[in-house]
């Protein structure tokens, strides 16, 4: 999508998008633009409404924003228009920017329009959205210059579209090697270094916990390391994303919901998408990211409940449940990152527990950290872009939940309560007491239902949150 500013609509023929803040249903003053009057009896800017008028060889779409609209609302409103009014868009589309719009609202609107091009039918023959044509140019009319904000919005949406596809594509396509190759290609395009350890190298350096999870799969595990190193960096952030490309539960096999377990790499996908976006925006912060990628499958070689395995950190782990596998690969990812790269701040993202969904539902992710400043910055970054977090405790009172009699630690408490917390305590055990570490359990927000598809699908949660957090350090 290209962007061009124009001064007026003289001689324009095409589709005009006109955002409108809510007036009142009883207003006697019509909404007017481009010689078109719309009376309040039919449209007055109510949130999530729109009104089409054909006049002067143009399709005018008046878009209701409500009385006030936050970033997420505007993004969703414009995504809806792009996705559900596809048939009225041609080569010429003009967006009217209200004088009251702030830069972040412009950003949200443009991102939303581009996200509206996403189609879940990756293996179906569908007509390309007009916005995706190589020569498509979005025209905008405004009293200020928003080229920079719009360029940033396109970069945000492009990273999120890539993340949608990584999560939504089937597991026979998105294998650990597919993720590794995606990272390599993205690194070449956007300017970050990528190193990948396969099974042999991972074994040699002692990533035993990571390797244990992938033992039962024909797919070779890939330990993906990405390094973005701008010359002017003053801070260093480390990211780790859970990359389970499919989760059967292992020998503790899942009895329900397995069809959706292609999404168990959504934390890893969010980190991959964030690395693309951070590099594309050329943020002045060094970022090292690790995505341990493997498949948790069932085979004669699968690791067993009651096994005791080793880890990169040197701690032994008793396996209580092979379906608590995400924390095992994250343990090695966190340990390797902290020991070898020593970042100032570490954040991991994972679709880790059903427990967090039981606690917080589908409205926000669980946040675990003992660093109050880090907690506030992450929550503020998420709130600003509509990716909310809510902090849950990491008290030492929960430490007995991961204590083992035979090993240094066990991977599952076995209790029907506080599962998200005990999982976070397990991860904390492998952070070497890092003073600025946070764990985001995104199980309830990374993959779900909304108006844009009939089945559950990716949300790209975390891509913008992490980028916004790093941008504002």
């Amino acid at each position: 999508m290209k962007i061009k500013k124009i001064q007026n609509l003289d001689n324009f023929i095409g589709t005009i998008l006109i955002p409108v803040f809510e007036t009142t249903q009883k207003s006697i003053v019509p909404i007017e633009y481009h010689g078109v009057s719309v009376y309040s009896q039919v449209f007055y800017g109510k949130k999530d409404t729109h009104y089409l008028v054909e006049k002067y060889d143009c399709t005018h779409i008046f878009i209701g924003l409500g009385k006030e609209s936050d970033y997420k609302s505007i993004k969703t409103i414009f995504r809806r228009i792009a996705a559900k009014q596809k048939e009225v868009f041609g080569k010429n589309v003009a967006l009217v920017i209200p004088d009251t719009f702030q830069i972040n609202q412009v950003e949200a609107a443009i991102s939303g329009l581009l996200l509206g091009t996403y189609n879940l039918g990756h293996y179906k023959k569908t007509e390309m959205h007009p916005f995706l044509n190589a020569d498509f140019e979005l025209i905008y009319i405004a009293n200020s210059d928003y080229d920079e904000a719009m360029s940033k919005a396109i970069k945000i949406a492009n990273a999120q579209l890539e993340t949608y596809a990584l999560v939504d594509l089937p597991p026979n396509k998105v294998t650990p090697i597919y993720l590794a190759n995606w990272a390599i290609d993205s690194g070449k395009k956007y300017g970050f270094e990528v190193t990948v350890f396969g099974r042999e190298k991972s074994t040699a350096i002692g990533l035993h916990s990571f390797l244990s999870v992938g033992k039962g799969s024909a797919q070779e595990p890939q330990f993906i390391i990405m390094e973005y190193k701008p010359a002017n960096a003053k801070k260093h952030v480390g990211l780790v994303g859970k990359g389970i490309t499919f989760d059967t539960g292992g020998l503790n096999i899942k009895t329900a919901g397995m069809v959706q377990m292609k999404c168990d790499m959504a934390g890893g996908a969010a980190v991959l998408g964030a690395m693309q976006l951070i590099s594309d925006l050329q943020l002045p912060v060094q970022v090292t990211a690790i995505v341990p990628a493997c498949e948790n499958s069932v085979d004669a070689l699968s690791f067993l409940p009651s096994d005791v395995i080793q880890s990169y950190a040197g701690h032994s782990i008793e396996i209580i449940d092979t379906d608590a596998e995400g924390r095992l690969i994250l343990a090695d990812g966190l340990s390797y990152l902290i020991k070898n790269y020593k970042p100032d701040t570490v954040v991991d993202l994972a679709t880790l527990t059903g427990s967090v969904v039981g606690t917080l539902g589908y409205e926000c992710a669980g946040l675990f950290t003992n660093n109050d400043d880090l907690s506030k910055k992450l929550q503020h970054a998420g709130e600003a872009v509509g990716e909310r977090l809510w902090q849950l405790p990491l008290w030492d009172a929960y430490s007995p939940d991961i204590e083992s009699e035979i090993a240094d630690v066990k991977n599952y408490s076995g209790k029907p309560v506080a599962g998200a917390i005990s999982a976070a305590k397990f991860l904390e055990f492998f952070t070497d007491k890092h003073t600025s570490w946070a764990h985001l359990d995104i199980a309830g927000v990374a993959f779900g239902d909304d108006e844009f598809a009939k089945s559950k699908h990716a949300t790209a949660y975390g891509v913008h949150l992490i980028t916004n957090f790093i941008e504002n350090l």
Side-chain angles (χ1 to χ4, degrees):
M1 181 187 285
K2 301 173 185 176
I3 300 290
K4 179 183 178 182
K5 182 182 178 183
I6 61 173
Q7 299 301 318
N8 55 60
L9 289 170
D10 293 348
N11 302 316
F12 178 85
I13 297 176
T15 303
I16 306 170
L17 305 178
I18 310 158
V20 177
F21 283 101
E22 184 176 340
T23 57
T24 172
Q25 194 171 8
K26 297 181 180 180
S27 175
I28 60 173
V29 180
I31 295 166
E32 294 185 321
Y33 192 82
H34 195 230
V36 177
S37 296
V38 180
Y39 289 88
S40 62
Q41 289 89 337
V42 293
F43 176 82
Y44 58 97
K46 185 178 179 182
K47 185 177 179 182
D48 299 333
T49 65
H50 67 273
Y51 188 69
L52 272 67
V53 179
E54 298 281 353
K55 194 172 184 179
Y56 307 128
D57 295 323
C58 292
T59 300
H60 302 75
I61 307 181
F62 292 85
I63 304 168
L65 302 177
K67 293 180 179 179
E68 294 182 359
S69 286
D70 58 22
Y71 191 99
K72 183 177 181 180
S73 296
I74 291 177
K75 199 169 189 175
T76 302
I77 287 166
F78 280 86
R79 182 181 178 186
R80 181 185 302 121
I81 292 296
K84 300 187 178 183
Q85 301 299 322
K86 177 180 174 181
E87 68 279 358
V88 304
F89 293 114
K91 186 175 180 180
N92 299 320
V93 179
L95 171 64
V96 179
I97 306 292
D99 291 341
T100 56
F101 254 28
Q102 298 175 2
I103 288 177
N104 67 328
Q105 292 174 307
V106 174
E107 179 185 289
I110 298 300
S111 283
L113 287 175
L114 193 49
L115 291 179
T117 66
Y118 183 70
N119 190 330
L120 197 58
H122 291 281
Y123 292 91
K124 299 175 73 173
K125 292 181 179 179
T126 56
E127 186 177 342
M128 180 185 291
H129 196 288
F131 291 176
L132 297 179
N133 290 327
D135 60 345
F136 176 78
E137 188 172 59
L138 178 68
I139 294 168
Y140 78 94
I141 304 162
N143 289 328
S144 300
D145 189 336
Y146 291 109
D147 286 3
E148 186 176 341
M150 291 185 173
S151 175
K152 181 180 178 182
I154 291 170
K155 292 175 181 180
I156 293 168
N158 282 336
Q160 292 178 318
L161 287 168
E162 287 287 334
T163 308
Y164 286 167
L166 285 175
V167 178
D168 286 332
L169 285 167
N172 60 326
K173 174 75 171 180
V174 180
T175 62
I177 288 177
Y178 182 95
L179 291 182
N181 289 336
W182 187 98
I184 291 167
D185 292 342
S186 184
K188 290 177 181 176
K189 182 176 181 179
Y190 294 99
F192 57 88
E193 299 174 12
V194 180
T195 304
V196 180
F197 300 155
R199 180 179 284 110
E200 184 177 348
K201 179 66 174 179
S202 297
T203 302
I205 63 176
L207 297 170
H208 304 299
S209 184
F210 163 63
L211 289 168
S212 292
V213 175
K215 284 172 60 180
S217 173
Q219 304 293 341
E220 182 178 3
Q222 304 283 288
F223 196 80
I224 305 165
I225 305 169
M226 296 164 282
E227 299 176 70
Y228 168 68
K229 298 184 286 188
N232 56 341
K234 295 181 180 179
K235 296 183 179 179
H236 183 189
V237 174
L239 304 174
V240 182
K242 175 184 172 184
I244 298 292
T245 56
F246 193 79
D247 181 22
T248 66
L251 290 176
N252 290 109
I253 197 162
K254 293 180 183 294
T255 56
M258 198 193 299
V259 70
Q260 296 167 356
M261 284 299 103
K262 66 180 182 180
C263 78
D264 214 19
M265 41 66 72
V271 168
L272 291 166
M275 284 301 290
Q276 172 182 316
L277 182 53
I278 290 161
S279 303
D280 201 8
L281 294 174
Q282 298 183 342
L283 299 185
V285 177
Q286 181 181 350
V287 182
T288 305
I290 292 179
V291 176
C294 61
E295 185 180 84
N296 186 24
S297 193
V298 180
D299 185 82
L301 298 176
S302 296
F303 71 133
L304 309 174
S306 78
D307 272 356
V308 174
I309 65 174
Q310 297 300 315
S311 66
Y312 180 79
H315 304 305
S316 57
I317 305 169
E318 180 186 9
I319 304 302
I320 303 299
D321 192 328
T322 62
D323 196 21
E325 85 299 329
R327 65 201 70 181
L328 298 175
I329 69 171
L330 289 172
D332 274 359
L334 286 166
S335 298
Y336 190 88
L337 174 71
I338 292 167
K339 179 179 179 180
N340 295 286
Y341 294 96
K342 298 177 173 56
D344 303 316
T345 295
V346 178
V347 181
D348 74 75
L349 297 89
T351 51
L352 206 62
T353 68
S355 172
V356 80
V357 183
T359 303
L360 299 173
Y362 304 100
E363 296 301 320
C364 65
L367 165 64
F368 299 86
T369 181
N370 284 320
N371 186 310
D372 290 340
D373 182 57
L374 178 57
S375 175
K376 290 174 183 177
K377 287 180 179 178
L378 282 167
Q379 289 185 77
H380 179 76
E383 190 71 34
V385 299
E387 297 183 1
R388 287 179 165 177
L389 292 164
W390 190 259
Q391 189 171 0
L392 295 169
L394 265 180
W395 300 326
D396 287 341
Y398 293 102
S399 294
D401 287 353
I402 58 169
E403 290 177 356
S404 167
E405 288 191 304
I406 194 171
D408 294 325
V409 67
K410 63 184 179 184
N411 79 323
Y412 181 63
S413 71
K415 297 179 180 179
V417 295
I421 298 173
S422 60
K425 292 298 290 184
F426 180 89
L427 296 180
E428 182 187 39
F429 190 81
F430 292 88
T431 61
D432 196 26
K433 299 182 180 179
H434 198 290
T435 57
S436 184
W437 160 73
H439 159 59
L440 312 185
D441 191 335
I442 64 173
V445 291
F447 192 78
D449 297 303
D450 62 28
E451 63 188 279
F452 298 107
K454 295 178 182 179
S455 58
K456 291 182 182 294
H457 54 280
T459 67
Y461 182 100
V463 173
H464 200 181
L465 186 162
I466 291 299
T467 305
N468 191 39
F469 164 71
I470 289 174
E471 187 176 19
N472 289 286
L473 277 177

